[in-house]
Amino acid sequence: MSVRHALLALLSEGPKYGLQLREEFEARTGEVWPLNVGQVYTTLQRLERDGLVEALGEAGADDEGGPQKAYRITVAGSEELTHWLRVPPDLTSPPRDELVMKVLVSVRVPGTDVHEVIQVHRRYLVQLMQEWTRLKEEEADADLAFALVVDAELFRLDSVVRWLDAAEGRLRRAEADGWPPPRKLPVSMPVLQRRRRIGAS
Amino acid sequence: MSVLELRSISKVYGRGAAEVQALRDVSMTVEAGSMVAVMGPSGSGKSSLLTIAGTLEEPTSGAVLVSGQDVARMSGGAKARLRRRTVGYVFQDFNLLPGLTAAENVSLPLELDGMSARRAHLAGLAALEDLGLADHAWRFPDQLSGGERQRVAIARAVVGERKLLLADEPSGALDSANGEAVMRLIHAYCKQGTAAVVVTHDAQLASWADRVVFLRDGRVVDQTVPPAGPESLLEQPS
């Protein structure tokens, strides 16, 4: 989550104070990602250092009686924002996904039923989805930003459930074909050999 | 009292080498006002479970109780009445009669049940109005979009204050916005006291249910526990 660019986006509408930025950030993201005011000021200072925003001078006091500054976006800031919106996030290399690891590992741990492991995770994910769906049912109509965030989360969790379904189907087909074959070599041998080959090249 | 109770249901199709065990010792109860999703891959027994729950098919062993009554002990006539009055079905492909208007599709079950054509018609219109389809009452199914057709099918399934709604992949043929609208409607009916069983392989659909039962190879292998409440999602780890 780029707080930096979210603040630039809010400032693209006009000059704003730090506290105001925090409130608007939380409102625009459906209040799913809370932000403390310290984070806002630290980020503003860095943006100012990089020439992407500029302070408009002191004008009033915040809740704790500290000075409050208003900020406005610079031309360089607007350019940076326009650029950032169109740069795809880096999705080229697969993330080291903990759930994928657990399923891969459970296939190799003697005495472990991989289907049972898959079901534990599937149930957990569906329960989470039930909670998000409840939230959507109760609140999403009132708040577009919130509905967008909830949809994103539901599709993300759904994709994980689908992967578990596909993994289970693949394992069942492999089992029907006689997998796993009886093994005599230590389990880790093929992995080690492959890594050595990759390292040697 | 539960609206639907399945007690140790097993279902076997075919014999000898061709024997297929579709359901094995499945038990579940669905209370009034609650929606249960049955989730499983194709071939897991979902559709068999639904047709047995809806008394369209008989189990090989076990008992089906609807509103506390054992279906196996009912006469043919009583079972037919139960299907017309108490149980509503929603299918993936809508199953509307193409030669009838939306209003006629919805009022037909009431007329078949002996209601006067006029009363059935008014009840049908009211059900369509509830689903925002009052303007479409005179259209034929092929003049409606997929989402509209499924809403007509839901109106047909709930008209006449039925107690049990059974749905087989009810939004399987719809895009995600229409699919969500369909699930929202079914859940809204449940909140008014209807019991529903929705079978699906889709986790997003299943997540509308109060409880999700997981079926594998004809067996119930797991189910969700009631959620802690949506507030827990917004509590940030400190």
Side-chain angles (χ1 to χ4, degrees):
Chain A
M1 180 66 225
S2 173
V3 175
R4 192 176 154 86
H5 292 97
L7 295 188
L8 283 178
L10 291 172
L11 289 172
S12 71
E13 298 168 342
K16 283 167 190 171
Y17 293 107
L19 279 176
Q20 191 184 357
L21 285 168
R22 182 184 72 165
E23 279 162 20
E24 290 187 12
F25 174 88
E26 291 189 350
R28 303 286 177 89
T29 52
E31 294 179 25
V32 174
W33 293 293
L35 189 64
N36 69 51
V37 79
Q39 254 175 302
V40 173
Y41 284 118
T42 317
T43 310
L44 283 169
Q45 279 161 13
R46 288 189 192 137
L47 287 168
E48 193 177 13
R49 178 197 66 199
D50 297 341
L52 303 177
V53 303
E54 57 196 13
L56 290 177
E58 293 182 12
D62 65 15
D63 285 349
E64 282 86 43
Q68 241 213 123
K69 279 186 195 170
Y71 289 84
R72 85 172 155 220
I73 194 166
T74 62
V75 173
S78 296
E79 285 169 358
E80 167 61 23
L81 178 64
T82 308
H83 174 70
W84 174 77
L85 286 175
R86 287 161 183 78
V87 175
D90 183 13
L91 300 173
T92 47
S93 49
R96 191 167 292 192
D97 187 294
E98 189 177 340
L99 183 55
V100 177
M101 290 290 187
K102 284 180 204 262
V103 172
L104 287 179
V105 168
S106 67
V107 164
R108 315 220 68 150
V109 176
T112 303
D113 177 0
V114 62
H115 301 288
E116 192 255 336
V117 171
I118 286 176
Q119 178 54 31
V120 167
H121 295 293
R122 183 190 283 118
R123 184 185 63 220
Y124 171 75
L125 290 161
V126 171
Q127 284 172 186
L128 264 185
M129 291 176 73
Q130 283 179 291
E131 293 179 41
W132 283 110
T133 302
R134 257 339 135 252
L135 271 180
K136 176 157 82 170
E137 189 178 22
E138 287 162 13
E139 295 180 33
D141 286 344
D143 185 343
L144 182 62
F146 183 71
L148 290 170
V149 172
V150 172
D151 277 346
E153 201 48 26
L154 278 169
F155 276 98
R156 191 179 68 80
L157 294 169
D158 185 39
S159 76
V160 183
V161 175
R162 282 174 194 240
W163 175 72
L164 287 174
D165 291 345
E168 188 163 39
R170 194 177 283 281
L171 286 162
R172 279 182 192 278
R173 287 192 298 278
E175 283 157 3
D177 291 341
W179 178 89
R183 275 192 303 248
K184 295 218 169 77
L185 285 170
V187 175
S188 56
M189 279 298 276
V191 176
L192 281 177
Q193 283 166 357
R194 206 183 316 152
R195 183 162 307 158
R196 214 170 291 145
R197 265 204 308 279
I198 292 168
S201 65
Chain B
M1 184 175 49
S2 41
V3 176
L4 174 68
E5 184 177 352
L6 303 179
R7 287 187 189 158
S8 299
I9 297 288
S10 292
K11 178 70 183 175
V12 180
Y13 297 102
R15 281 179 172 206
E19 185 179 297
V20 176
Q21 178 120 32
L23 294 171
R24 301 161 196 256
D25 195 24
V26 171
S27 295
M28 68 191 285
T29 55
V30 188
E31 309 293 328
S34 98
M35 175 175 173
V36 174
V38 178
M39 219 184 140
S42 22
S44 59
K46 301 190 301 281
S47 295
S48 296
L49 188 144
L50 207 67
T51 51
I52 288 170
T55 76
L56 297 169
E57 215 178 11
E58 285 177 9
T60 309
S61 63
V64 179
L65 285 80
V66 178
S67 298
Q69 283 195 295
D70 188 342
V71 172
R73 294 189 184 165
M74 288 182 185
S75 66
K79 244 192 265 188
R81 267 196 303 283
L82 176 84
R83 284 196 287 266
R84 285 197 308 266
R85 290 185 186 167
T86 309
V87 188
Y89 302 90
V90 181
F91 304 92
Q92 176 172 356
D93 48 8
F94 323 131
N95 277 19
L96 298 176
L97 295 170
L100 301 182
T101 63
E104 288 164 345
N105 262 288
V106 176
S107 58
L108 183 66
L110 298 177
E111 281 189 62
L112 290 176
D113 198 37
M115 193 183 272
S116 75
R118 195 183 131 70
R119 279 185 58 210
H121 177 67
L122 290 174
L125 284 182
L128 286 171
E129 199 175 338
D130 276 351
L131 298 182
L133 288 166
D135 297 344
H136 296 51
W138 311 112
R139 295 198 185 165
F140 290 91
D142 65 1
Q143 297 170 316
L144 299 169
S145 71
E148 288 162 354
R149 271 183 246 175
Q150 194 58 305
R151 278 191 281 157
V152 173
I154 291 174
R156 182 186 56 185
V158 297
V159 73
E161 296 173 1
R162 274 172 272 188
K163 295 189 177 75
L164 178 61
L165 191 61
L166 302 173
D168 194 347
E169 302 281 4
S171 57
L174 304 174
D175 62 26
S176 72
N178 277 304
E180 181 180 321
V182 162
M183 297 314 289
R184 215 175 256 276
L185 278 174
I186 294 177
H187 199 237
Y189 276 109
C190 288
K191 283 199 199 155
Q192 291 167 26
T194 307
V197 180
V198 177
V199 307
T200 182
H201 66 279
D202 183 327
Q204 292 214 42
L205 293 195
S207 70
W208 283 89
D210 303 299
R211 181 156 52 96
V212 181
V213 171
F214 297 91
L215 208 61
R216 284 289 176 288
D217 300 327
R219 254 186 250 280
V220 172
V221 292
D222 201 4
Q223 59 177 312
T224 56
V225 292
E231 298 75 22
S232 66
L233 291 173
L234 301 181
E235 284 165 14
Q236 298 296 317
S238 49

